[in-house]
Amino acid sequence: MATTSSSSPLQLRVNGRDCVTPATPDTPLLYVLRNDLELNSPKYGCGLGECGACTVLIDGVAARSCVIPVRAAQGREVTTLEGLGTRARPGPTQQAFIDCQAAQCGYCLNGMIMTVEALLRRNPDPTEAQLRNELHHNLCRCGTHVEIMQAALRAARLRRAAAIAAEGKQ
Ligand code: FES
């Protein structure tokens, strides 16, 4: 639960929208996203920055929102899984994970998808080894690593295809 501040509300920009939160500056960003903004894709796993379930993007870089105080996100662009697409129109990385049926319990998938998304934004054509290395610190207790790797590779292909299609329209 976010801790409420008696001072003026903190302002955030999340998924392209300006938001305010009454939370105190030291409240973990994860609590604000889930409890105040009702963005429930980032999950609470370990609360220690070790499992990756809570991953979001901050200025496009993967970050563990359970250990980041909300004050550190002020003035920056926060993106959650909800910001990558919609149920009707998932983004390419989301679509790849759907196509590959990469979930068993699904608890880790927020972190897997956001971590892959962050890598593909800075490197659209990673090797399998680079993808593996990036996902190395995201934990999946069900053991769906094979499907997750297939989805990560497919995400790279889908994003490249989408970029080529977008260029063709210009
Ligand atoms: Fe944030 Fe585990 S809940 S890294």
Side-chain angles (χ1 to χ4, degrees):
M1 179 77 64
T3 311
T4 303
S5 169
S6 58
S7 56
S8 56
L10 298 174
Q11 301 201 350
L12 294 175
R13 188 157 175 84
V14 182
N15 297 334
R17 297 171 62 177
D18 293 320
C19 317
V20 293
T21 171
T24 58
D26 289 338
T27 303
L29 175 61
L30 175 64
Y31 297 2
V32 172
L33 295 172
R34 291 184 57 87
N35 299 335
D36 294 345
L37 304 181
E38 298 183 352
L39 295 166
N40 293 321
S41 291
K43 299 289 188 282
Y44 184 96
C46 63
L48 299 170
E50 293 181 355
C51 74
C54 65
T55 302
V56 299
L57 306 185
I58 299 181
D59 293 340
V61 177
R64 304 211 160 176
S65 62
C66 68
V67 289
I68 294 177
V70 65
R71 66 178 143 71
Q74 285 194 104
R76 304 171 76 184
E77 183 71 45
V78 178
T79 307
T80 69
L81 185 65
E82 289 89 343
L84 300 189
T86 63
R87 190 178 290 260
R89 295 194 61 183
T93 306
Q94 293 169 313
Q95 186 64 55
F97 277 75
I98 295 168
D99 294 345
C100 294
Q101 292 287 288
Q104 187 159 316
C105 85
Y107 204 81
C108 70
L109 275 200
N110 169 75
M112 299 292 182
I113 293 171
M114 299 309 284
T115 301
V116 170
E117 176 80 15
L119 172 60
L120 296 181
R121 287 187 182 194
R122 68 177 194 273
N123 176 7
D125 194 11
T127 63
E128 182 170 341
Q130 287 171 323
L131 280 162
R132 267 183 207 285
N133 187 56
E134 200 74 9
L135 291 170
H136 185 69
H137 295 290
N138 285 69
L139 305 184
C140 168
R141 298 182 69 173
C142 303
T144 54
H145 302 85
V146 171
E147 289 82 359
I148 287 168
M149 276 309 301
Q150 288 171 347
L153 290 163
R154 181 167 175 74
R157 290 194 298 275
L158 291 182
R159 286 180 62 91
R160 288 197 299 274
I164 289 167
E167 276 178 22
K169 286 183 185 169
Q170 289 176 357

